[in-house]
Amino acid sequence: MGTNTGNPLRSRFPERAVGPVCVVPNSTKITISEATPVPTTVRGNSATGVSQARQAARAFTDRLVPTPCPDVAGTLVLVVSELVTNALRHGDGTFTLRLNAHPGAIEV
């Protein structure tokens, strides 16, 4: 995977900036277990929905093989929490979160 100079994140952090949001370094190969519902979609319109999105993100990473390290899983949960909270506050009051796993990346 080459460096994309059109994206400043890819230029500064080519090993981490893959896809819309990547929290797994390229050196980690992810395989999807049969128990992983890929992609995972969560919709919400309240603070309860934010909590459900965080729970879904944690469950999603727990079913990846190999399971990402706790720091990576925690970062994903934080990113999800921030994104859905901002969608509620600054959007139309609803959100749709979609999580997908690819070899070497988690897409949010």
Side-chain angles (χ1 to χ4, degrees):
M1 186 176 295
T3 301
N4 179 348
T5 58
N7 181 331
L9 286 177
R10 286 181 193 255
S11 298
R12 285 188 70 193
F13 306 104
E15 72 282 1
R16 293 195 179 269
V18 177
V21 174
C22 179
V23 294
V24 178
N26 285 346
S27 61
T28 302
K29 295 295 180 191
I30 297 174
T31 58
I32 309 303
S33 71
E34 292 181 20
T36 305
V38 176
T40 296
T41 302
V42 179
R43 292 180 175 85
N45 60 4
S46 67
T48 301
V50 175
S51 176
Q52 291 170 342
R54 284 193 301 263
Q55 291 170 2
R58 179 65 68 184
F60 182 83
T61 59
D62 288 347
R63 289 189 300 265
L64 295 175
V65 177
T67 302
C69 69
D71 288 345
V72 170
T75 299
L76 177 67
V77 172
L78 176 63
V79 166
V80 163
S81 183
E82 290 294 321
L83 288 173
V84 298
T85 298
N86 287 345
L88 290 175
R89 286 187 181 169
H90 305 293
D92 65 1
T94 63
F95 69 84
T96 300
L97 169 72
R98 184 176 174 147
L99 301 171
N100 203 353
H102 306 280
I106 297 173
E107 180 181 348
V108 179

